[in-house]
Every structure is written in structure tokens, then in C-alpha cells.
């Protein structure tokens, strides 16, 4: 079984992915962490040295490695499905789950967690909200190609994990 969590930055992919993998007794991979481990560089450093385009090439290459593994939950980066036809690669190699979180919730979370995220780290709160709104609109058609879409209405992590488990075993 291979499960990929997709969704915007701040949607909870890493936290929920880890909890889900523990409960399903599967391995857990966070694609950003995997890239950082393999390259010995932070995502911020990669963006600074190679630009976003360079990062997207690396992200695609490491995703190709990750999809060859089995029995795992993978939390992807917010942009991963949206470049280099990665959504097709993901959907051909497992079950994708889109964590669909409201703009206001994302904005609130990301205003506190933007420093390690090169795309948003220099934005003030007003700029942040309009960036997320525009960017999310562009990305949503891709996110919605996920096998399972979870409208995240709860802040309760365990409840959310249960909901995902119910959907993937249907
Ligand atoms: C990005 C999301 C980040 C990381 C990079 C770019 C994006 O991952 O891959 O900063 O384009 O949305 P998270 O979604 O885990 O923050």
C-alpha cells in the first residue's frame, strides 16, 4: 500500500502523514525531508542556489525514487503534484489524498510558519493571503485529481486520520 498526501503548504501533510503511517504500520517519508537528507541542503538553500525551477527538477527526480518503494505513506511538498506531470506519476503509483483546507486557516497557520518556506517567507500578512488565494486557485485543478479528497473541517488530528483511514479502506 502506498499513500501520498497532497495539499497546500500548511495543510498538515507532514503531521497527518506521520500519524497515519504509525497507525497503518507503514513507513513514512516526507519528500522535503528526504531531499534535504539526500542533498545535505535545506529547501531554502536549494531555492537560493538553484532557483525554484532547479528545485522542481530535483523534486521530480527524488519523487521518481520514492515511488519505487512500497508500504509507505508519503507527504509531498505543496507544489510537488503541480510540476513535471508529477500528479500522473503519483496516481499511477498509489492512492493520493488531497487535504483540502480553507484559505483562512492556511493563511493563519502559514503566517506563523513561513520562515522555512522560500515562496512565502518575505510576504507580510496581507500579501500572504492574496498569494495563497491566487496560488491555490492555480493549483486546485491538480490537487483535485487526487484519488481521495478530504475537506478538512476539524482541527482534531485523530479525527482527521480516522476519516482518511475510512476512505482509503472503502
Ligand atoms: C512548496 C512547499 C514546501 C516545499 C517548498 C515549496 C510549494 O513544502 O516543498 O518550500 O511550492 O508549495 P510544504 O508543503 O511541506 O511546506
Amino acid at each position: 500500500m502506498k499513500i501520498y498526501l497532497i495539499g497546500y503548504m500548511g495543510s498538515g501533510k507532514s503531521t497527518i502523514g506521520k500519524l497515519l503511517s504509525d497507525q497503518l504500520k507503514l513507513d513514512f517519508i516526507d519528500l522535503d525531508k528526504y531531499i534535504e537528507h539526500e542533498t545535505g541542503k535545506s529547501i531554502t538553500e536549494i531555492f537560493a542556489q538553484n532557483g525554484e525551477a532547479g528545485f522542481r527538477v530535483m523534486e521530480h527526480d527524488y519523487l521518481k525514487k520514492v515511488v519505487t518503494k512500497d508500504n509507505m505513506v508519503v507527504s509531498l511538498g505543496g507544489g510537488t503534484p503541480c510540476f513535471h506531470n508529477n500528479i500522473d506519476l503519483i496516481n499511477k503509483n498509489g492512492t493520493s489524498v488531497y487535504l483540502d483546507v480553507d484559505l483562512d486557516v492556511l493563511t493563519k497557520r502559514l503566517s506563523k510558519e513561513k520562515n522555512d518556506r522560500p515562496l512565502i517567507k518575505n510576504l507580510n500578512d496581507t500579501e500572504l493571503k492574496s498569494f495563497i488565494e491566487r496560488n491555490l486557485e492555480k493549483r486546485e485543478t491538480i490537487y483535485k485529481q487526487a484519488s481521495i479528497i478530504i475537506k478538512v473541517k476539524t482541527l482534531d488530528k485523530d479525527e482527521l486520520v480516522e476519516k482518511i483511514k475510512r476512505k482509503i479502506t472503502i
Side-chain angles (χ1 to χ4, degrees):
M1 181 183 243
K2 287 189 233 188
I3 299 162
Y4 301 91
L5 292 189
I6 71 174
Y8 205 72
M9 292 179 266
S11 58
K13 303 177 296 287
S14 303
T15 312
I16 299 301
K18 178 76 182 83
L19 288 172
L20 186 64
S21 69
D22 286 344
Q23 294 194 19
L24 297 176
K25 307 218 174 347
L26 298 171
D27 290 337
F28 175 65
I29 297 178
D30 178 297
L31 184 64
D32 280 339
K33 295 265 170 351
Y34 180 69
I35 296 172
E36 290 181 333
H37 179 262
E38 294 294 300
T39 60
K41 291 176 190 168
S42 69
I43 301 298
T44 304
E45 284 168 338
I46 298 173
F47 265 73
Q49 291 166 11
N50 306 79
E52 182 178 355
F55 170 73
R56 297 302 173 193
V57 172
M58 280 188 181
E59 186 180 44
H60 178 62
D61 288 343
Y62 285 109
L63 177 65
K64 280 195 288 189
K65 288 190 188 172
V66 164
V67 299
T68 62
K69 302 175 195 286
D70 209 352
N71 295 321
M72 52 171 192
V73 174
V74 187
S75 294
L76 298 170
T80 314
C82 311
F83 295 86
H84 299 287
N85 289 324
N86 289 339
I87 188 69
D88 292 336
L89 187 61
I90 295 160
N91 282 337
K92 277 189 195 122
N93 286 281
T95 305
S96 53
V97 179
Y98 169 36
L99 299 184
D100 182 0
V101 177
D102 277 357
L103 172 66
D104 285 337
V105 176
L106 292 175
T107 307
K108 217 165 161 184
R109 282 192 196 161
L110 288 172
S111 82
K112 286 181 265 161
E113 297 172 15
K114 59 186 182 190
N115 288 343
D116 294 332
R117 293 178 160 111
L119 291 177
I120 55 172
K121 71 172 183 182
N122 295 319
L123 306 179
N124 66 36
D125 281 357
T126 321
E127 292 166 334
L128 180 65
K129 185 165 185 177
S130 63
F131 176 85
I132 299 172
E133 191 169 22
R134 280 181 282 118
N135 198 215
L136 192 55
E137 200 183 306
K138 273 202 278 180
R139 290 180 174 186
E140 245 180 352
T141 49
I142 305 281
Y143 290 156
K144 289 193 166 159
Q145 292 175 37
S147 331
I148 294 168
I149 299 175
I150 306 273
K151 185 82 197 143
V152 182
K153 294 195 186 115
T154 174
L155 294 178
D156 185 328
K157 297 183 184 81
D158 294 324
E159 207 180 299
L160 183 51
V161 170
E162 283 308 314
K163 193 169 172 185
I164 298 172
K165 277 174 29 190
R166 275 202 304 277
K167 295 250 183 178
I168 53 181
T169 49
I170 282 171

